[in-house]
Amino acid sequence: MPTELVSISSQQSVGNQQTETVFLNLNKAACFRYFIHRCVKYVWDQNKKGFKRLRGFDEGLSCGDFHEKFHGYSTARQRELREFYGENTIDIEVKSYWRLFIEEILNPFYIFQIASMTLWSLDSYYYYASCILIISIISITVSLYETKKQRITLRNMVAHSNAVTVTVCRQNGSLEDIPASQLVPGDLIVIPPNGCLMACDAVLVAGNCIVNESMLTGESVPETKTPVSRQEDNEVYSPQNHKRHTLFCGTHVIQSRYYGHDQVLGVVIRTGFLTAKGELVRSILFPKPLGFKFYQDSMKFILVLFCISAIGMAYSLYLYIHRHASVSKAILRVLDIVTIVVPPALPAAMTVGTVYAQNRLKKSGIFCISPPRINIGGKLKLICFDKTGTLTEEGLDLWGVIEAKSGRFQNLIHDPTHLSVENKLLATMATCHSLTMIEGELTGDPLDLKMFAATKWEFDEPGYETTRYDMLMPTVVHPPVHQLKLEHSSTSLQPNSCVCSLSAQLFTEPGKDTSRYDTLTPIMVKPVQHEMYDSAVETKVPYEIGIVRQFPFSSSAQRMGVICRTLGKPHMDLYVKGAPEKIASLCLKQTLPENFSSLLQDYTLQGFRVIALAWRKLDRKLTWHHAQRVKRDQIEFDLTFLGLLVMQNTLKPETTPVIEVLQQAKIRTVMVTGDNILTAVSVARDCGLIPRSDNIILVSGLPPDDVNRACIDWQYAESPHIDLEEEDEPSVPVSHQQKLNINEENKGDQTFHFAIDGRSFAVVRQYFPEVFLRLIVRGTVFARMAPDQKAQLVESLQDIGYIVSMCGDGANDCGALKAADVGISLSEAEASVAAPFTSKIPNIECVPIVIREGRCALVTSFSMFRFIALYSLIQFFSVLILYNRFSNLSDFMFLYIDLGIITTLAIVMSYTAAYEKLVAKRPQGSMVSLSNIISLVLQILLVGGIQLAALMLLEYQHWYKRVSFGPQEETLMCWESTTIFLISSFQYLIVAVVFSKGPPYRKSLFSNFYFMGALFLLTGFTLLLLFSPFKKLNAFFKLVLWNPHEKLKFRLMLLVLAVGNFILCFIAQVCIAESQWLKKVTRLIKQKKEPKNRYRLVEKELESLPDWPVINEKLYASDYSVVFH
């Protein structure tokens, strides 16, 4: 909102709503109304006549505005803005137990339970109603406790930033400490020297900060945040594009680095739930609805059960009206049917398997903050992997450097210290990084650490870490005194005097020698080896390089640079490193070797990570003050190419076996990385993402210009055949005639994979929509992808029918991790908001674990759903049969069935663990598939038929006498209720076994000792009831009293009937419902002409185009169609 905001608020009632009106002092008085929905405030836009989401200062401002317009608020002004924006807090409301209880019992599940218990009490089922009441109270208590515990945990996770004290600059220049909750957008805050926990989102306008953003991104490597420079004044500020200047709420500022006696300052841009942390917390509190078909079908099936209950209700109503029963009795019996057919425990029972899977994942070091996504993991069709730190080791080892002299590459040198002391390539390695010293330890990007360590130079920070800023940076690197070696005895400079006088000049008298560092002490790097100081003796100063200014690495710029000053030199130097293609475009052509492209291709195809280094001597007139204001584009041109840095990034040992497992399971694997495309292709080959026999087609896209339309070029990737042993000369290029396994004549018979970089990806996505679909279906390597492009790729894959997982470890993967159906973050944190799954397993072995547990949980949910559905229908048949005979099950019969059998089995049958092996076939995700419907129909017919057969068997006995009935009372202790109760008790056990699916998604049911034990005990107890040796037990259950030797034949026949029931149910499930012939018949009946998933349609289309794409021919985009040239 505008900074001229002044609030005059009043409240009024509009209908039943409480509305607050805020007046703003703009050009004219304006009235703003707002409401808060899901922790976000929406204000009335008078111009658009609608509500608009309230924003902070992260939109509509230029970078220069943060320097010009924000110099601190007065206390009154801050209070006025706080009236509008609210307190700067991320409050997670922890409701009282009483309020939670009221909200919980209003859940449809508990409303149904209360209605059922009331009904049972009116029907004199006091014991049963009391037991269900006790169980419901226990369930509610546990639920309330867990809900409150989770809310408290989440509140504690975010509360730290709410409780801090912040120093703000006032309009008059004074400083004041205030609670962080009082901050508003536009406040100018001071970042303390020893760091802090950020309580808001802020843009740095002065000073540097070392920040740990692991809470938000899962990335534990500290990052350096720099202030918004004057050169960016005209750029429109964006938190995403200018994140290197932005401190985000919830991140930990380890240190702040400031200029002399100045402060490190930041302008608050967002507070409360508007911050990046607030958005992530909101995503936890209000997760995006899951469009998983299983959950949708479950609701449909419950509706079907309601329809079935309606039929039963109508039949029951007819029976009781026909018998002239009282209206109350008829109503009770009719309503009782609903509680039987639609079991209120169904939603809870279906989550048991997910809970067990979540606990098993936790034991494996994988933490899940979104349990419903576990089931989705069982249907994954495609996995996107980041490369560095995910497929390959996090750290890079220096393989060697290749220096370029006079436009020619020299031989590869494995040890950079063999280069000359004052070699510019060595100086670039020592200075062009963002390393910093934290608590005596050099920290930063792992690549920078490896590169600097290879130089064996020394990096030091004299004085207290946060106070040695000395106009720019807080660190100085210098060698120990004993390492100075002076070979020229003619010089008058002695070792000790050299160091002491230098120290004095640098630290106590910076202004005496302006030819050195322009009155400041920048970061200093200095060689350590003795001989490195020989050349410096002649100038009477050691060879030291001070880093005057850093241009941090940017994904969009694909490079970083530093402005440096060599001690004793009258000019500054620019050192740059980055992507070879980008650096080459900035270098003088005469300094680039002719074989630059071929050599680069040779190394990247071998899987090496190649970084180009360049240098430029800056104008002597460039002062320190100008260096702080100059734009990088104004000096990063006409560079001198220095050479290549070759880093070895080895595969993690677990990568290839896991990729092989996933491919055997027919799960597509894709690499999405920010690295060089040829390096990514090589890694894809090495780990098995792309088989050796398959072709790789590089896709290059060019956007349109004033003359040409957008176009795509197709080229085969080439296979390197060079031996990079130390004794060889790797700088010799490989012949381009050496191709990768390409047979042009049989190209249509071979599988090909697309490899594309981020720039071409954007071109194809914008100008070639039809080609884009083919690209993402056949694309395996997506390189040089920006963070937003990774998320775009994931969403595009989802749009064509893939269920997608993203596995990554860095901040660049956060968007894709959030967008994916199953995001897995490799992080040491126990849980983070970066992804639904966080794995402490530092490699991709966690992916098959998540898939196996997902498949197990999904199959368990299916089994539980069918089991509970059959339980309700078995009891439905039992009750209807007994209603027909004017009888019913007794109170304790219901208790034994519902609590003794169903509840026990529902808990233990879900305990079966996941199968060890991933198979190619994915489990079903739909409840309304033909096989599921046939399975349920067959089981329903069998259990209903067996119950009728048992009743007919009873009536066939010569001693049987049909129960006599009256219009009001039912006979509970009779042969009909006893027979139906016993046979149905066996049926519950039978369907539990039949639906306890084992391999290939779950282990065998025999491995579930809890289930087998419960099954053994319940079967034994039911047999005990069948043969009834105890009269008291019979009386307790209201079974017909019979002696142990009486009617033995009938009881044995009931047991045979139960065994037959089991055999028939097993045959119906295994030999019919799950048979291959049924699937073939189903396909013939459906005669499905087209696949239902869009990506299968694209695959089918590609199969019909064996000659596409045409290699070495460009594809141009027109306004209406795609044409070949």
Side-chain angles (χ1 to χ4, degrees):
M1 296 303 295
T3 55
E4 295 84 359
L5 190 78
V6 177
S7 66
I8 307 172
S9 61
S10 62
Q11 293 186 349
Q12 58 180 335
S13 294
V14 181
N16 295 325
Q17 301 292 327
Q18 188 75 12
T19 304
E20 185 167 346
T21 302
V22 180
F23 293 93
L24 307 177
N25 182 16
L26 304 173
N27 295 329
K28 59 182 180 178
C31 174
F32 272 76
R33 289 181 178 177
Y34 68 84
F35 67 90
I36 296 176
H37 175 66
R38 292 189 170 183
C39 305
V40 173
K41 182 178 288 187
Y42 293 83
V43 297
W44 179 260
D45 190 327
Q46 190 66 30
N47 295 326
K48 295 184 178 180
K49 303 298 181 182
F51 284 97
K52 185 178 179 181
R53 180 174 175 173
L54 177 64
R55 297 286 184 180
F57 292 158
D58 54 326
E59 293 183 2
L61 292 175
S62 68
C63 293
D65 290 338
F66 293 106
H67 289 288
E68 300 295 336
K69 295 184 178 180
F70 301 99
H71 306 289
Y73 289 140
S74 64
T75 304
R77 179 64 172 165
Q78 186 186 59
R79 183 171 57 252
E80 291 167 355
L81 286 171
R82 193 163 57 249
E83 284 289 325
F84 188 77
Y85 281 99
E87 296 287 328
N88 175 37
T89 56
I90 302 177
D91 285 329
I92 308 297
E93 182 183 9
V94 180
K95 301 173 184 177
S96 66
Y97 279 115
W98 173 249
R99 185 174 172 186
L100 287 173
F101 173 75
I102 296 299
E103 292 180 355
E104 189 76 13
I105 63 173
L106 293 178
N107 185 299
F109 165 74
Y110 286 112
I111 291 176
F112 191 61
Q113 285 278 43
I114 293 171
S116 300
M117 288 185 289
T118 303
L119 179 66
W120 296 327
S121 299
L122 292 174
D123 203 21
S124 301
Y125 282 89
Y126 300 118
Y127 290 110
Y128 184 70
S130 300
C131 289
I132 296 299
L133 176 62
I134 293 171
I135 292 174
S136 298
I137 291 173
I138 295 173
S139 175
I140 291 175
T141 303
V142 172
S143 177
L144 296 184
Y145 173 77
E146 289 296 328
T147 301
K148 189 161 186 174
K149 180 182 176 182
Q150 291 173 3
R151 283 298 181 114
I152 291 174
T153 301
L154 185 60
R155 182 191 62 183
N156 293 340
M157 185 174 71
V158 302
H160 300 294
S161 57
N162 296 340
V164 299
T165 301
V166 181
T167 302
V168 297
C169 298
R170 292 301 182 193
Q171 200 168 13
N172 58 9
S174 63
L175 301 179
E176 181 182 347
D177 292 336
I178 64 171
S181 60
Q182 296 183 11
L183 289 175
V184 296
D187 266 328
L188 187 64
I189 62 173
V190 177
I191 311 299
N194 294 321
C196 63
L197 189 68
M198 286 301 298
C200 60
D201 289 352
V203 175
L204 270 179
V205 293
N208 286 28
C209 291
I210 311 298
V211 183
N212 185 336
E213 295 184 335
S214 59
M215 189 272 176
L216 297 181
T217 66
E219 182 75 54
S220 59
V221 176
E223 291 191 15
T224 300
K225 301 286 185 175
T226 59
V228 174
S229 64
R230 287 291 187 178
Q231 289 68 41
E232 300 170 298
D233 281 355
N234 296 327
E235 296 180 16
V236 177
Y237 173 77
S238 165
Q240 180 64 33
N241 297 334
H242 297 89
K243 61 182 178 181
R244 65 183 182 277
H245 307 312
T246 307
L247 301 173
F248 294 103
C249 180
T251 60
H252 181 214
V253 178
I254 302 172
Q255 290 179 4
S256 65
R257 308 288 179 82
Y258 50 86
Y259 303 92
H261 298 294
D262 293 338
Q263 303 286 351
V264 178
L265 302 176
V267 175
V268 178
I269 57 171
R270 295 183 297 206
T271 58
F273 280 99
L274 298 178
T275 63
K277 180 180 178 181
E279 287 291 338
L280 291 173
V281 172
R282 286 181 64 249
S283 70
I284 297 175
L285 294 176
F286 314 106
K288 183 175 70 173
L290 299 175
F292 195 37
K293 192 171 180 60
F294 172 70
Y295 300 121
Q296 299 170 356
D297 291 346
S298 300
M299 296 301 106
K300 294 178 184 177
F301 198 83
I302 290 176
L303 184 61
V304 172
L305 292 180
F306 267 111
C307 295
I308 293 174
S309 69
I311 297 173
M313 291 167 67
Y315 179 69
S316 300
L317 188 62
Y318 164 76
L319 287 176
Y320 282 88
I321 292 176
H322 180 71
R323 291 170 180 163
H324 307 290
S326 65
V327 175
S328 60
K329 175 65 71 174
I331 293 175
L332 287 176
R333 287 292 165 262
V334 167
L335 294 177
D336 198 29
I337 293 293
V338 181
T339 67
I340 292 171
V341 179
V342 185
L346 181 59
M350 289 175 60
T351 63
V352 175
T354 304
V355 172
Y356 285 142
Q358 186 178 13
N359 290 333
R360 288 194 296 266
L361 285 171
K362 188 174 182 180
K363 290 179 181 178
S364 298
I366 303 170
F367 301 88
C368 177
I369 62 173
S370 180
R373 292 187 184 269
I374 295 176
N375 278 351
I376 299 178
K379 293 291 290 180
L380 287 176
K381 301 176 182 178
L382 185 146
I383 316 291
C384 295
F385 291 105
D386 181 34
K387 184 181 76 70
T388 306
T390 303
L391 298 176
T392 62
E393 297 289 354
E394 179 65 42
L396 295 170
D397 295 322
L398 181 69
W399 174 260
V401 295
I402 306 175
E403 187 181 8
K405 286 185 178 179
S406 304
R408 293 175 59 92
F409 278 121
Q410 307 301 303
N411 291 339
L412 182 139
I413 300 175
H414 289 285
D415 187 356
T417 59
H418 293 164
L419 297 171
S420 169
V421 173
E422 298 187 14
N423 187 288
K424 295 300 181 183
L425 187 145
L426 190 66
T428 307
M429 294 175 61
T431 58
C432 198
H433 52 70
S434 57
L435 301 179
T436 186
M437 196 73 71
I438 299 177
E439 296 181 356
E441 182 179 353
L442 197 61
T443 59
D445 186 89
L447 185 149
D448 288 346
L449 287 169
K450 289 286 186 180
M451 180 183 69
F452 182 78
T455 66
K456 299 183 181 178
W457 284 35
E458 192 172 279
F459 186 103
D460 191 18
E461 290 185 339
Y464 188 64
E465 291 178 339
T466 59
T467 60
R468 285 301 307 189
Y469 216 65
D470 283 347
M471 308 298 179
L472 182 64
M473 289 296 211
T475 55
V476 172
V477 177
H478 62 88
V481 175
H482 68 271
Q483 289 186 331
L484 292 175
K485 179 181 178 182
L486 304 178
E487 295 181 354
H488 303 276
S489 57
S490 59
T491 180
S492 60
L493 183 64
Q494 299 301 316
N496 290 341
S497 63
C498 170
V499 174
C500 293
S501 60
L502 176 63
S503 300
Q505 289 174 347
L506 291 179
F507 302 146
T508 61
E509 300 177 323
K512 288 187 177 181
D513 189 350
T514 58
S515 66
R516 294 187 175 182
Y517 291 108
D518 287 340
T519 75
L520 52 111
T521 302
I523 293 179
M524 299 293 297
V525 290
K526 193 171 186 177
V528 175
Q529 296 163 309
H530 297 190
E531 61 272 21
M532 290 187 180
Y533 294 93
D534 298 346
S535 60
V537 173
E538 296 178 2
T539 59
K540 298 187 180 182
V541 290
Y543 181 60
E544 298 178 348
I545 302 177
I547 303 174
V548 176
R549 183 184 175 190
Q550 292 180 346
F551 296 107
F553 176 79
S554 166
S555 298
S556 58
Q558 296 184 358
R559 67 188 186 276
M560 82 160 291
V562 288
I563 299 176
C564 297
R565 185 88 178 255
T566 303
L567 191 61
K569 300 292 184 181
H571 62 82
M572 296 185 187
D573 298 287
L574 173 69
Y575 298 102
V576 183
K577 80 173 192 299
E581 306 91 339
K582 189 65 178 179
I583 298 300
S585 68
L586 301 174
C587 289
L588 295 167
K589 290 185 178 180
Q590 60 268 29
T591 65
L592 284 171
E594 292 181 1
N595 61 339
F596 172 83
S597 297
S598 61
L599 185 66
L600 173 64
Q601 187 178 40
D602 293 338
Y603 278 98
T604 52
L605 278 173
Q606 281 289 329
F608 291 101
R609 184 169 182 181
V610 181
I611 298 168
L613 309 177
W615 159 81
R616 182 187 174 206
K617 179 180 177 181
L618 299 177
D619 194 311
R620 180 179 296 198
K621 295 180 181 179
L622 182 69
T623 65
W624 177 84
H625 298 287
H626 293 150
Q628 301 307 310
R629 294 192 297 268
V630 69
K631 289 186 176 181
R632 65 188 309 172
D633 295 338
Q634 294 175 341
I635 57 175
E636 289 183 347
F637 64 92
D638 291 344
L639 305 179
T640 298
F641 181 72
L642 297 176
L644 300 175
L645 188 68
V646 184
M647 309 292 288
Q648 190 175 30
N649 192 195
T650 57
L651 282 172
K652 292 181 178 179
E654 302 85 2
T655 296
T656 303
V658 170
I659 296 296
E660 184 179 355
V661 167
L662 294 175
Q663 290 182 340
Q664 289 176 351
K666 303 299 181 183
I667 296 174
R668 185 181 162 199
T669 50
V670 169
M671 181 192 297
V672 188
T673 179
D675 208 344
N676 177 278
I677 187 170
L678 296 179
T679 301
V681 165
S682 174
V683 172
R685 285 281 195 201
D686 292 341
C687 70
L689 278 175
I690 301 177
R692 294 288 176 183
S693 60
D694 291 355
N695 294 335
I696 302 175
I697 298 176
L698 300 180
V699 183
S700 300
L702 292 176
D705 54 30
D706 296 337
V707 179
N708 300 312
R709 292 169 295 171
C711 67
I712 305 174
D713 188 25
W714 320 89
Q715 297 288 337
Y716 280 119
E718 296 179 353
S719 176
H721 296 279
I722 85 174
D723 189 5
L724 297 181
E725 297 297 331
E726 291 195 23
E727 63 269 20
D728 293 337
E729 294 185 0
S731 57
V732 179
V734 179
S735 171
H736 285 200
Q737 301 302 318
Q738 297 170 339
K739 295 282 185 183
L740 182 74
N741 238 348
I742 296 171
N743 186 339
E744 289 290 345
E745 295 181 0
N746 300 321
K747 181 172 76 75
D749 298 330
Q750 290 183 294
T751 302
F752 65 85
H753 302 256
F754 286 131
I756 190 171
D757 60 18
R759 185 188 67 171
S760 301
F761 177 86
V763 171
V764 177
R765 182 170 179 263
Q766 183 173 357
Y767 299 103
F768 301 87
E770 292 182 3
V771 176
F772 181 72
L773 295 180
R774 300 178 186 178
L775 172 69
I776 61 177
V777 166
R778 283 291 178 92
T780 301
V781 175
F782 297 85
R784 293 281 188 234
M785 297 285 280
D788 59 329
Q789 288 181 320
K790 292 184 179 183
Q792 290 169 4
L793 174 63
V794 169
E795 291 168 354
S796 298
L797 290 167
Q798 291 171 327
D799 290 341
I800 61 174
Y802 281 108
I803 298 177
V804 184
S805 173
M806 175 70 196
C807 182
D809 71 328
N812 291 339
D813 304 320
C814 277
L817 289 170
K818 282 288 184 183
D821 297 291
V822 177
I824 306 174
S825 173
L826 305 186
S827 172
E828 294 182 0
E830 180 169 308
S832 73
V833 292
F837 294 85
T838 303
S839 172
K840 281 190 173 181
I841 303 172
N843 54 68
I844 64 172
E845 283 185 332
C846 60
V847 175
I849 296 175
V850 170
I851 297 174
R852 288 200 305 268
E853 290 295 347
R855 290 183 173 186
C856 176
L858 184 58
V859 170
T860 300
S861 297
F862 264 93
S863 300
M864 188 59 61
F865 189 94
R866 288 183 288 191
F867 171 64
I868 297 296
L870 256 296
Y871 141 67
S872 65
L873 292 174
I874 290 171
Q875 198 169 80
F876 172 69
F877 285 130
S878 301
V879 170
L880 285 186
I881 290 172
L882 293 176
Y883 281 1
N884 183 265
R885 298 306 176 92
F886 211 74
S887 181
N888 203 353
L889 299 175
S890 69
D891 205 349
F892 288 103
M893 287 178 182
F894 275 119
L895 272 178
Y896 174 66
I897 292 171
D898 290 354
L899 301 184
I901 297 179
I902 303 303
T903 303
T904 302
L905 292 181
I907 293 173
V908 298
M909 71 182 292
S910 301
Y911 196 75
T912 306
Y915 195 56
E916 299 88 348
K917 184 180 179 181
L918 278 180
V919 295
K921 183 181 177 182
R922 287 181 293 273
Q924 289 183 341
S926 173
M927 281 299 303
V928 294
S929 64
L930 186 60
S931 61
N932 276 326
I933 294 174
I934 290 177
S935 171
L936 287 173
V937 170
L938 288 176
Q939 299 297 338
I940 290 170
L941 293 176
L942 282 173
V943 297
I946 293 296
Q947 288 193 27
L948 290 174
L951 189 63
M952 292 172 63
L953 180 64
L954 172 65
E955 293 175 343
Y956 182 74
Q957 304 303 312
H958 65 88
W959 43 261
Y960 167 72
K961 292 182 180 180
R962 187 164 182 169
V963 64
S964 59
F965 58 86
Q968 301 299 330
E969 296 298 327
E970 298 164 332
T971 304
L972 299 181
M973 185 178 287
C974 61
W975 282 109
E976 288 86 350
S977 63
T978 300
T979 301
I980 294 299
F981 166 70
L982 290 172
I983 197 67
S984 66
S985 295
F986 283 115
Q987 287 180 330
Y988 299 125
L989 300 174
I990 290 167
V991 295
V993 173
V994 170
F995 288 145
S996 290
K997 194 173 179 65
Y1001 307 118
R1002 303 200 308 170
K1003 290 183 178 179
S1004 169
L1005 63 88
F1006 298 106
S1007 66
N1008 187 345
F1009 300 112
Y1010 297 106
F1011 178 66
M1012 294 304 297
L1015 201 63
F1016 177 79
L1017 292 175
L1018 291 171
T1019 302
F1021 187 77
T1022 305
L1023 288 172
L1024 182 69
L1025 295 177
L1026 175 62
F1027 293 99
S1028 62
F1030 305 111
K1031 291 184 179 180
K1032 290 185 178 180
L1033 192 62
N1034 283 22
F1036 181 78
F1037 282 97
K1038 294 190 182 302
L1039 297 172
V1040 174
L1041 297 176
W1042 50 13
N1043 295 322
H1045 302 291
E1046 187 180 37
K1047 303 177 180 63
L1048 181 60
K1049 182 180 178 181
F1050 172 70
R1051 284 178 282 177
L1052 288 174
M1053 292 178 69
L1054 281 181
L1055 181 59
V1056 170
L1057 199 60
V1059 173
N1061 192 170
F1062 171 74
I1063 295 172
L1064 291 175
C1065 286
F1066 185 81
I1067 292 174
Q1069 185 66 24
V1070 176
C1071 300
I1072 299 178
E1074 298 177 357
S1075 65
Q1076 292 298 319
W1077 66 265
L1078 178 63
K1079 295 175 183 177
K1080 293 179 181 178
V1081 171
T1082 303
R1083 283 194 290 266
L1084 288 175
I1085 294 173
K1086 286 185 175 180
Q1087 293 184 345
K1088 185 169 63 174
K1089 297 180 180 180
E1090 297 292 343
K1092 63 178 181 179
N1093 289 318
R1094 197 175 176 187
Y1095 72 89
R1096 294 193 184 278
L1097 292 173
V1098 178
E1099 287 176 347
K1100 188 175 180 180
E1101 179 187 5
L1102 286 170
E1103 290 173 0
S1104 65
L1105 299 171
D1107 296 327
W1108 187 89
V1110 180
I1111 304 302
N1112 296 326
E1113 290 196 18
K1114 292 184 178 180
L1115 185 67
Y1116 287 93
S1118 66
D1119 293 336
Y1120 304 102
S1121 62
V1122 177
V1123 295
F1124 284 100
H1125 172 70

